[in-house]
Amino acid sequence: MFLTISTTGTAEHPATDLGFLLHKHPGKAQAFSTSHGTAHVFYPVAEEQRCTAVLLLEVDPVALVRRGQGKGRTTAPDAALAQYVNDRPYAASSLFAVALGGVLRNALQGRCAARPELAERARPLRIEIPALPARGGAALVHRLFDPLGWDAVTVAPVVLDETFPEWGDSRYVRLVLEGELRLADALRQLYVLLPVLDDAKHYWIAPDEVDKLLRAGDGWLAAHPENALITSRYLARHKRLTQEALERLELVRLAEADGSEVEELDNAVPDTPEETPDDTAHDSAVRSVPLSVHRREAILAALRAAGAARVLDLGCGEGQLVQALLKDPAYTEVVGMDVSVRALHIAARRLRLDRTGERQGSRVTLLQGSLAYTDKRLAGYDAAVLSEVVEHLDPERLPALEYAVFGSAAPRTVLVTTPNVEYNVRWETLPAGHVRHGDHRFEWTRAEFRGWAGDVAARYGYGVEFVPVGEDDPEVGPPTQMAVFTATAPIAAATDQTPKEGEAA
Ligand code: SAH
């Protein structure tokens, strides 16, 4: 299978800039070995006015079958030959997407170290895939690509055999996309939609497939009218993962809808989706200060008491806490990290990172990353805050988070806040048995939280204390519970246990 990417240019903006964007030199033909075969990148045309790159994947069908073994692949006798004689080598969309993600990783992520301004700019693009397997036919191809900002989406069915037109069309179409887009946006669309159209996702669907989908879908998938079909097919119709992805996309969509107002919100108490219903719809007789404000104050007080100066806000969301920290000169360095690129965009706008002076700018960093993986960038800080974050992870991924935070990053102080599920009966607007937020994987009782925190503290060499946040109800406790962990032993002692990097998730 192959695709071509073409662009046009001028003396000022030569078409051969495509080489920088793809991180592949236009003067060379290059081959890369991937897990399913060899990927080739070469440029049939590389001129100032016009440049075309070809990405071609040569699938090794035998390796493909071997790799598939032991993963419940079909082994019925009549399927045995089909394993070797099939169309995968010629039109393997999902494999192609994997190769795209590997060979063109930087381009896909919109990174261009040599010429960063190039990656930011939309440019005239023409992408052609001569034989694209498309279950759902030309009509579906249109439904998927038409809403994505192309000037022209041309889809022509490929006949099965030109000698016998009466045999009708094959399941392949020829696709041509033309328009002005950023290359990274175009590649991310293909990375998701090629396997969706192939609808024969060959590889193992891992839990982090949802993260991958959301990353690749950043900026276009949440608002796409076919996002349910795309998500379901991309995740091989895995029900729970599809549900999870759709819920997260809905949050993204809400944030996108909110995004336009962020500038004005600036110092106001933010009304993020996270804060419904727990923070905004609460019985107003009981409180006038939103819970999110109580939470921030409790966190700031604990950080002050710990004497922290360099602070991580892990799962920083839209950056409200980061903003509050920056107002206090005691914090010399503040790092906000989140898995959601969208949230980070909003945070960057809130913090006006593009407009802050150098002095302020050097105090704050926003990072994209997941707490389900160890991350060297997080080492060496005084304190880490996980405010309303742990409940967003599947319970089976918590050990990976614990290792990433307490084992690997290992700051002296760690603050963890999470809802107290016992308090839910006090929320008038929350139906019985419901969690406070669609993305919460669980909510803990006070005893469950203490059990978890005590266990983590013991394993990683921390002491732990608990602080109620919000009105401490005599019967059901406070709405938010906070654990303050303080390292007891020299930090290094705790590092060689539990998962190694990579195993963690
Ligand atoms: N800390 C903020 C936001 C809480 S919402 C506050 O207190 O208001 C939970 C945040 O955790 C979201 O922004 C979500 O994107 C982020 N998140 C969820 N899973 C994550 C993961 N695995 N790694 C990093 N961040 C994650």
Side-chain angles (χ1 to χ4, degrees):
M1 171 163 187
F2 74 101
L3 67 73
T4 63
I5 305 171
S6 307
T7 188
T8 51
T10 59
E12 200 191 338
H13 298 297
T16 44
D17 280 351
L18 188 60
F20 285 109
L21 287 168
L22 294 174
H23 292 241
K24 303 286 176 274
H25 194 284
K28 285 196 281 191
Q30 298 180 58
F32 305 86
S33 107
T34 76
S35 44
H36 304 294
T38 308
H40 302 267
V41 180
F42 56 94
Y43 294 77
V45 187
E47 293 161 5
E48 186 181 280
Q49 309 288 326
R50 219 159 55 88
C51 183
T52 295
V54 174
L55 174 65
L56 178 142
L57 178 67
E58 232 181 327
V59 175
D60 174 353
V62 176
L64 190 59
V65 173
R66 295 227 174 96
R67 275 177 61 87
Q69 275 165 6
K71 283 191 186 169
R73 286 287 170 291
T74 167
T75 48
D78 55 348
L81 188 60
Q83 288 187 324
Y84 290 91
V85 185
N86 60 32
D87 69 355
R88 298 284 91 189
Y90 311 106
S93 286
S94 55
L95 302 179
F96 196 74
V98 175
L100 195 76
V103 175
L104 302 183
R105 177 185 304 272
N106 286 309
L108 200 73
Q109 295 176 351
R111 281 204 295 251
C112 184
R115 306 272 306 276
E117 80 287 354
L118 282 184
E120 282 303 312
R121 200 184 306 140
R123 62 180 312 125
L125 290 176
R126 181 180 186 281
I127 294 184
E128 173 166 357
I129 304 176
L132 171 68
R135 187 173 305 237
L140 183 62
V141 179
H142 274 295
R143 272 160 53 206
L144 296 184
F145 283 98
D146 285 355
L148 291 177
W150 296 95
D151 296 334
V153 177
T154 312
V155 191
V158 174
V159 292
L160 201 54
D161 189 322
E162 279 168 11
T163 328
F164 302 100
E166 65 276 18
W167 287 1
D169 293 334
S170 68
R171 57 186 281 267
Y172 303 101
V173 300
R174 172 173 164 268
L175 171 66
V176 181
L177 303 167
E178 289 162 295
E180 288 235 351
L181 266 79
R182 292 192 320 163
L183 182 66
D185 292 337
L187 292 176
R188 286 206 306 261
Q189 295 173 7
L190 295 173
Y191 179 79
V192 173
L193 295 180
L194 297 191
V196 161
L197 282 163
D198 189 13
D199 202 19
K201 201 158 194 243
H202 66 284
Y203 54 81
W204 184 245
I205 300 288
D208 73 339
E209 220 72 54
V210 174
D211 294 336
K212 274 192 223 156
L213 173 64
L214 273 104
R215 272 201 296 274
D218 184 47
W220 63 272
L221 184 54
H224 195 296
E226 296 291 349
N227 66 13
L229 176 142
I230 294 169
T231 303
S232 160
R233 278 196 183 189
Y234 185 88
L235 297 169
R237 299 194 169 72
H238 189 299
K239 277 222 182 67
R240 194 179 56 76
L241 293 180
T242 302
Q243 170 86 11
E244 175 190 335
L246 286 173
E247 280 171 10
R248 285 171 59 184
L249 280 172
E250 179 59 13
L251 293 180
V252 172
R253 205 185 55 72
L254 290 170
E256 278 171 357
D258 276 1
S260 52
E261 281 137 46
V262 168
E263 297 269 5
E264 288 81 65
L265 266 176
D266 208 17
N267 288 322
V269 176
D271 188 15
T272 64
E274 175 66 10
E275 295 178 312
T276 314
D278 55 336
D279 291 10
T280 51
H282 180 39
D283 176 9
S284 56
V286 184
R287 50 128 225 188
S288 47
V289 181
L291 182 54
S292 56
V293 173
H294 281 304
R295 197 153 49 219
R296 214 165 305 143
E297 277 167 3
I299 291 167
L300 292 172
L303 287 175
R304 223 172 291 130
R310 303 177 63 238
V311 179
L312 300 165
D313 183 7
L314 304 176
C316 64
E318 299 175 2
Q320 292 92 339
L321 177 65
V322 171
Q323 187 177 37
L325 289 168
L326 287 174
K327 291 201 173 121
D328 184 340
Y331 302 106
T332 56
E333 199 181 332
V334 183
V335 175
M337 183 184 101
D338 206 282
V339 76
S340 157
V341 176
R342 177 65 45 189
L344 290 172
H345 275 306
I346 296 174
R349 281 169 60 189
R350 175 188 304 284
L351 301 168
R352 301 174 195 272
L353 283 188
D354 48 345
R355 271 175 278 165
T356 47
E358 232 170 77
R359 215 133 151 260
Q360 176 88 332
S362 65
R363 286 171 68 211
V364 57
T365 313
L366 296 178
L367 299 176
Q368 202 245 341
S370 170
L371 287 165
Y373 299 94
T374 54
D375 189 334
K376 295 198 177 67
R377 297 174 297 180
L378 306 183
Y381 287 83
D382 299 331
V385 179
L386 289 94
S387 165
E388 309 296 283
V389 173
V390 289
E391 66 276 9
H392 289 263
L393 274 86
D394 285 329
E396 61 270 23
R397 308 187 86 188
L398 280 181
L401 172 142
E402 292 155 19
Y403 179 70
V405 174
F406 295 90
S408 169
R412 210 178 90 80
T413 305
V414 180
L415 308 181
V416 176
T417 80
T418 193
N420 163 21
V421 70
E422 296 167 80
Y423 193 89
N424 287 2
V425 296
R426 294 284 185 268
W427 299 121
E428 291 192 337
T429 50
L430 194 66
H434 276 60
V435 294
R436 300 180 196 179
H437 188 269
D439 194 44
H440 288 182
R441 307 305 150 82
F442 57 84
E443 284 176 356
W444 277 326
T445 61
R446 283 167 293 175
E448 283 165 338
F449 183 49
R450 280 162 192 255
W452 172 80
D455 174 58
V456 170
R459 266 189 291 128
Y460 289 99
Y462 283 76
V464 61
E465 282 170 19
F466 298 91
V467 179
V469 180
E471 170 219 16
D472 195 358
D473 185 282
E475 212 179 312
V476 296
T480 297
Q481 33 189 352
M482 178 162 82
V484 180
F485 297 84
T486 309
T488 48
I491 303 289
T495 47
D496 59 341
Q497 50 179 322
T498 44
K500 288 187 207 61
E501 194 163 355
E503 269 170 36

